[in-house]
Amino acid sequence: MTSPAQRAIGLALGGGVVRGIAHVGVLQVIEELGIEIDCIAGTSSGAIVGAMYAAGIPLKEIVDIAGHAKWRDLAEISMRRDGLIGTRRLAAYLDSVVGGKSFGELRIPFKAVATDIATGEEVILSKGPVRDAVRASCAIPGIFVPVRLGGRMLVDGGLCNNVPASVVRGMGASYVVAVDLNALSLGTPPPRNVFQIILHAHDIMQRANVEKESKMADLLIQPDLSGLGLIDFNSAKEFMDRGAAAARRALQPPMHEHIMDGDAE
């Protein structure tokens, strides 16, 4: 818990398909520096990593999970008209890594961001099974089958809020650290099939809402992920290393002391 003399520090983890593994490297540096996170919000792959950390999964285990993840663990071909890939396998995977927890059982307050595909509204999820909220946050339209929750048809939160700094601020954080995975991703290998084209198009569209959200953060971490593919699990270690490198640059003194000092302006 945060003492009265300390800031309430919130973490906003942006989406980016497999780039989300870079968040694990950021968390490694945050733990090394002894920075305690009081609340987390995540979009898409940021919601996956955020949910695991909020559930109290030891970071060493999260590193191992990220290093061994494969598409076959997360995706299943769908014969439906509303998506190429179903989310049941993803739901089972999420249950296995967060222990089947509901939001009320998490160690750190957490929210996942999704989009109502019918209205375009941002939907902030914070009740019920964590797996359902996170798979909704990850459901890239045109690729994944939408997730129906609370009478809504939900898809990837990146359409409306890909770096949810405002959500973290709304959770009571007085100091917001946001991680944007898409700002420095030039040089990504060009798409080679319709699946990759949809992913790249989605990546381009969601950048429009990042600038506004970034201004809500007190500290913005932007890993250089240039040259790394959106769907390349084989580069997991490189993603983590680059995430860690960016976090060290952003959190080097005096910034680290500034965050830890609750009286600093």
Side-chain angles (χ1 to χ4, degrees), residues 5 15 30 34 38 61 66 87 99 116 121 125 148 150 158 171 181 184-185 205 208 246 248 252 261:
I30 284 173
D38 297 289
E61 288 186 28
T87 60
D116 185 322
E121 293 176 292
L125 301 168
R148 295 182 182 275
M171 295 171 75
L181 302 178
L184 303 175
S185 58
M205 287 188 296
R248 288 194 180 93
Q252 62 184 326
D261 182 0

Side-chain angles (χ1 to χ4, degrees), residues 25-238:
V26 173
L27 287 170
Q28 287 177 307
V29 174
I30 284 173
E31 283 206 352
E32 287 171 9
L33 295 175
I35 298 173
E36 184 175 343
I37 300 300
D38 297 289
C39 56
I40 304 171
T43 298
S44 195
S45 54
I48 295 177
V49 176
M52 287 193 286
Y53 197 68
I57 308 301
L59 190 52
K60 184 177 180 181
E61 288 186 28
I62 296 177
V63 170
D64 185 64
I65 291 168
H68 290 88
K70 303 294 181 185
W71 278 111
R72 64 174 176 268
D73 301 324
L74 309 174
E76 55 183 335
I77 300 299
S78 170
M79 299 301 291
R80 292 171 48 171
R81 294 180 296 174
D82 52 356
L84 302 175
I85 298 175
T87 60
R88 286 182 300 177
R89 188 171 296 177
L90 175 61
Y93 181 82
L94 291 168
D95 252 350
S96 70
V97 297
V98 300
K101 288 182 171 62
S102 65
F103 278 90
E105 298 174 295
L106 298 177
R107 182 177 64 88
I108 300 172
F110 168 73
K111 293 185 177 182
V113 179
T115 301
D116 185 322
I117 193 62
T119 66
E121 293 176 292
E122 175 184 62
V123 179
I124 301 171
L125 301 168
S126 59
K127 296 180 180 179
V130 173
R131 66 165 186 269
D132 293 334
V134 174
R135 70 189 179 108
S137 183
C138 293
I140 298 171
I143 297 292
F144 286 94
V145 172
V147 176
R148 295 182 182 275
L149 287 178
R152 293 177 179 262
M153 181 183 289
L154 302 179
V155 297
D156 194 318
L159 289 176
C160 58
N161 191 347
N162 199 46
V163 181
S166 59
V167 178
V168 176
R169 188 73 71 187
M171 295 171 75
S174 54
Y175 194 96
V176 176
V177 178
V179 186
D180 172 20
L181 302 178
N182 296 327
L184 303 175
S185 58
L186 298 176
T188 298
R192 298 187 302 273
N193 53 52
V194 66
F195 176 77
Q196 293 182 9
I197 288 171
I198 293 173
L199 286 176
H200 278 250
H202 180 70
D203 183 38
I204 292 167
M205 287 188 296
Q206 67 190 10
R207 295 182 192 189
N209 64 60
V210 171
E211 184 176 355
K212 176 183 175 182
E213 283 294 314
S214 297
K215 292 177 181 177
M216 297 288 292
D218 297 288
L219 179 67
L220 182 63
I221 298 175
Q222 296 177 308
D224 180 359
L225 303 178
S226 57
L228 297 177
L230 276 166
I231 60 173
D232 185 11
F233 277 114
N234 293 327
S235 298
K237 185 178 185 305
E238 184 67 19

